[in-house]
Amino acid sequence: MAQGRILAKKDIETVFRRLSEAMPGRTKTAKGPKDQPDPFRSVVSCILSAQSRDTNTKAATDNLFALATTPDAILALDDEAVAKAIKPCGLYNNKTKSLKKLCTALIEEYDRTVPQTREGLMSLPGVGRKCADIVMSFTFGADVIAVDTHVHRVSNRIGLTDAKTADQTAAQLEENAPAWAFHDGHFWLIQFGKAICVSRKPKCETCPVNDLCRYYTATGAA
Ligand code: SF4
C-alpha cells in the first residue's frame, strides 16, 4: 500500500465533515437494500445482487420469497424452480447453486440463524466482505461503511484509501475514517459518487473537497 497517497487523518476527517454537510446521508429515502429486516432474506438478496441491477435483484428476491422463505423451504425446491424464480438477476444457474450451499450451511452450521458478525457472515458460502458489510449495516444496524463501486472509486480518488479492490478499500476505510463517520459514511460516499464525483466526468470545479483530493491536486483537473 502506498501510504503516501493516503491523506493525513486530519484531512480525512475534514473530507468526511464536508461530505456530511453536502450529502443527505442515511435518510429514510436513501438508496439501499431497505425493507429487509429478515436477515435471511437480506443475505439471499445480497447473493442475488452480484452483477445485477437493483430492480432486477429485487424482482428475483420477490419471486423466490413468493415460493419459499426459509433455508429448508428453498432446499426443498428443485433447482429449476429456483433458477426460474431468480432469472431476472442473471447468472441464475450459478446463483441457484450458491443459494443451495448457503441454505445447507445455515442449517448445518448455524441452526438456521444468520450470524451477526462479519466473520460469521463471511464464513457462509457466496458471502464476501461487501455482502457481509451490507447485511451488517442495513439489517443489523451496525456502523459499517459498506463498499460498492461508487464508494470504492470515490475513496481512492480522494485519498481516503489507496486500494485496488473494494475489499481493501473497506479495510482501509475502517482503519482511516473517524469513528463518527461509520454510521453514515457509506451513504455520504455513495451519494457524493453519484452526484459529484461521478465515474466519467467528475465535477471537480464545484467539488467541496477539491482542495484536498489527491486526484485533483495531482492533475489540476480530473
Ligand atoms: S475533486 Fe474531482 S476527483 Fe476529487 S473528489 Fe472532487 S469530484 Fe472527485
Side-chain angles (χ1 to χ4, degrees):
M1 182 199 320
Q3 287 287 353
R5 197 184 177 282
I6 297 179
L7 296 172
K9 288 251 178 186
K10 70 174 177 37
D11 291 336
I12 290 176
E13 179 140 12
T14 301
V15 168
F16 275 106
R17 184 84 59 202
R18 290 187 198 165
L19 294 186
S20 75
E21 289 161 5
M23 297 295 139
R26 190 190 282 252
T27 65
K28 283 196 172 150
T29 54
K31 198 168 174 339
K34 291 184 284 296
D35 303 325
Q36 301 216 25
D38 169 8
F40 177 57
R41 184 179 169 116
S42 181
V43 175
V44 167
S45 173
C46 218
I47 286 177
L48 296 182
S49 72
Q51 297 179 52
S52 168
R53 290 177 182 276
D54 291 351
T55 50
N56 295 337
T57 303
K58 182 173 186 322
T61 308
D62 288 347
N63 288 348
L64 181 64
F65 276 74
L67 298 177
T69 59
T70 64
D72 299 83
I74 288 177
L75 279 180
L77 296 172
D78 61 39
D79 286 2
E80 283 179 10
V82 175
K84 188 176 170 197
I86 67 172
K87 197 166 185 176
C89 69
L91 304 172
Y92 44 89
N93 287 325
N94 283 341
K95 288 179 182 176
T96 295
K97 286 188 195 130
S98 295
L99 284 181
K100 294 243 165 154
K101 284 185 192 161
L102 168 76
C103 292
T104 302
L106 282 172
I107 292 168
E108 292 182 354
E109 293 166 38
Y110 288 100
D111 198 20
R112 296 169 175 78
T113 303
V114 174
Q116 297 200 18
T117 63
R118 178 181 291 142
E119 293 70 25
L121 285 161
M122 287 178 68
S123 76
L124 295 170
V127 179
R129 171 144 188 174
K130 175 186 163 192
C131 195
D133 283 357
I134 283 175
V135 173
M136 285 175 62
S137 174
F138 286 86
T139 300
F140 295 130
D143 289 345
V144 169
I145 302 179
V147 174
D148 74 344
T149 179
H150 300 288
V151 175
H152 177 60
R153 179 184 70 252
V154 168
S155 299
N156 286 287
R157 272 183 179 162
I158 297 174
L160 305 176
T161 57
D162 184 19
K164 293 219 173 351
T165 68
D167 284 4
Q168 289 170 352
T169 294
Q172 290 180 24
L173 280 175
E174 190 165 67
E175 199 181 316
N176 300 335
W180 57 262
F182 283 17
H183 187 64
D184 278 37
H186 165 84
F187 296 89
W188 294 326
L189 289 165
I190 205 169
Q191 290 157 354
F192 180 67
K194 288 183 174 182
I196 295 173
C197 193
V198 292
S199 177
R200 294 211 174 164
K201 286 191 178 169
K203 300 167 185 169
C204 300
E205 297 304 327
T206 55
C207 172
V209 298
N210 60 9
D211 58 319
L212 296 169
C213 173
R214 289 285 191 211
Y215 190 60
Y216 187 64
T217 53
T219 62

